[in-house]
Amino acid sequence: MLRLDPASSLAPYEQVRRQLATGIDAGELSPGTRLPTVRRLADDLGVAPNTIARAYRELEATGRVATRGRNGTVVTDRSATGDGEEARLAASYLAAMRELGHDANAALRYLHGAIGAS
């Protein structure tokens, strides 16, 4: 059960993303588990659908979930793709950038800058 803390300094999408990521990483949400639709979860939590959509997009960027059109968003089996460690490192980088106050787009800009400098 996801919960939002209105007193938290974290944005609602980040609270949702972290709770789902923790559940996935801990094995509480196993591969193939279908997540609630964006609209349903937004209604349940009392937030805008874009809030949930952003959380899902960021989880997808780290390989934790995949969106399959009308089949919904499901937890992926990262061990089957062979890139579990790579996804973990990418997620760690993104989390560190968030701690510094940057969003995913800023993290990508820094990464592109580092690639161009090497």
Side-chain angles (χ1 to χ4, degrees):
M1 180 79 180
L2 298 175
R3 295 178 188 213
L4 294 179
D5 178 2
S8 175
S9 63
L10 293 176
Y13 84 88
E14 179 61 13
Q15 292 181 52
V16 170
R17 186 203 65 77
R18 282 188 184 193
Q19 289 176 56
L20 288 171
T22 299
I24 292 166
D25 294 346
E28 296 166 4
L29 295 169
S30 58
T33 299
R34 188 172 172 182
L35 298 181
T37 65
V38 167
R39 284 189 181 146
R40 182 173 146 220
L41 187 54
D43 285 345
D44 290 349
L45 296 175
V47 296
N50 284 340
T51 298
I52 304 305
R54 182 171 179 184
Y56 281 13
R57 277 193 311 271
E58 295 204 12
L59 289 166
E60 192 165 19
T62 62
R64 287 182 174 92
V65 301
T67 301
R68 299 183 177 142
R70 297 189 66 88
N71 292 324
T73 302
V74 297
V75 175
T76 59
D77 183 1
R78 294 188 303 169
S79 65
T81 63
D83 64 358
E85 181 65 9
E86 290 87 345
R88 187 193 66 73
L89 288 169
S92 176
Y93 168 70
L94 189 55
M97 292 301 286
R98 282 196 183 101
E99 291 295 321
L100 293 172
H102 299 292
D103 65 9
N105 289 327
L108 283 173
R109 284 193 305 274
Y110 280 102
L111 185 58
H112 286 290
I115 291 169
S118 60

